[in-house]
Amino acid sequence: MSTKDEILSRIRENTGRRYEMPDLTLDAITYEDRVSTFADNLKAAGGEAVVLQPGEDVNAVIRRAFPKVRRVASNLAGITCATFNPDDLDDPRELNGTDLSVVRASFGVAENGAVWLPLNVRFKAVYFISEALVILLDRRELVNNMNEAYRRTAATEYSYGTFMAGPSKTADIEQALVFGAHGPMRVMVILE
């Protein structure tokens, strides 16, 4: 028996009366216009949302927003502005120097502007190593709040997933906000 198991066993032995977990009934916040709420909250988190208009080409939107990028990673069909497929690489370190990655989120959360990124690429480094990240999201896949979001993740199978709300950022004790400290400096969500 490991130390952890031994400790847990002793805790169980010395636990008094046990109570069943109650059913949680929450009147969580909902939004009349999830798209604009999502866009506003993503902006507050340092990201940007673009609502794709009917007939508008997603590749043209990406090229306009990121005119100077040279190395663009994407494994998504239809992303013609990509210069390479990151799934073809043998080592995630080969992603170093990537200017932009284009990925797809399963759903977004209006409450905080976050998106759920399950592992849809060979290396999860794709989500964090590039200077900028474009996330494609079906606007019909917006949920209201994190309560709905967690229920949705519980109903799916995934080996890895993360919520991302805007670019990487950190602030030190002097309150100097720095973008791109642990991931992309710029995050754009394109709502299709």
Side-chain angles (χ1 to χ4, degrees):
M1 179 182 290
S2 71
T3 305
K4 176 184 170 186
D5 292 333
E6 185 179 327
I7 292 169
L8 291 174
S9 176
R10 286 184 184 175
I11 290 171
R12 285 185 196 103
E13 289 171 6
N14 294 295
T15 299
R17 188 172 176 190
R18 293 185 185 197
Y19 298 92
E20 292 299 315
M21 181 76 154
D23 286 333
L24 296 177
T25 54
L26 298 173
D27 290 328
I29 193 164
T30 59
Y31 300 95
E32 199 168 307
D33 185 353
R34 285 186 230 159
V35 171
S36 66
T37 302
F38 174 84
D40 291 344
N41 288 327
L42 179 60
K43 184 177 180 181
E48 56 192 302
V50 173
V51 178
L52 200 64
Q53 300 304 312
E56 194 170 21
D57 178 32
V58 69
N59 293 287
V61 171
I62 294 169
R63 282 190 210 99
R64 266 195 316 273
F66 302 92
K68 295 181 181 179
V69 297
R70 290 193 176 131
R71 192 160 189 245
V72 180
S74 186
N75 67 353
L76 301 176
I79 301 301
T80 58
C81 62
T83 60
F84 73 101
N85 183 335
D87 293 348
D88 293 339
L89 304 177
D90 295 323
D91 187 326
R93 291 175 288 193
E94 294 176 81
L95 290 163
N96 193 24
T98 301
D99 298 315
L100 174 70
S101 295
V102 182
V103 298
R104 180 169 299 283
S106 294
F107 64 89
V109 185
E111 176 180 46
N112 57 11
V115 296
W116 175 248
L117 293 171
L119 190 60
N120 291 327
V121 290
R122 184 173 181 192
F123 303 113
K124 62 186 165 202
V126 170
Y127 300 138
F128 308 104
I129 200 164
S130 62
E131 292 293 315
L133 183 65
V134 170
I135 302 166
L136 305 181
L137 174 63
D138 184 334
R139 69 183 88 186
R140 296 170 298 188
E141 298 297 329
L142 286 171
V143 298
N144 287 295
N145 52 61
M146 288 302 290
N147 188 35
E148 291 176 28
Y150 281 119
R151 279 197 309 255
R152 187 154 174 188
T153 62
T156 60
E157 290 288 324
Y158 56 90
S159 62
Y160 172 85
T162 187
F163 283 103
M164 183 179 286
S168 166
K169 49 199 159 295
T170 189
D172 63 14
I173 198 162
E174 297 168 355
Q175 298 177 352
L177 183 61
V178 176
F179 285 92
H182 310 290
M185 292 180 65
R186 185 173 170 200
V187 171
M188 172 187 282
V189 176
I190 299 178
L191 296 157
E192 301 175 299

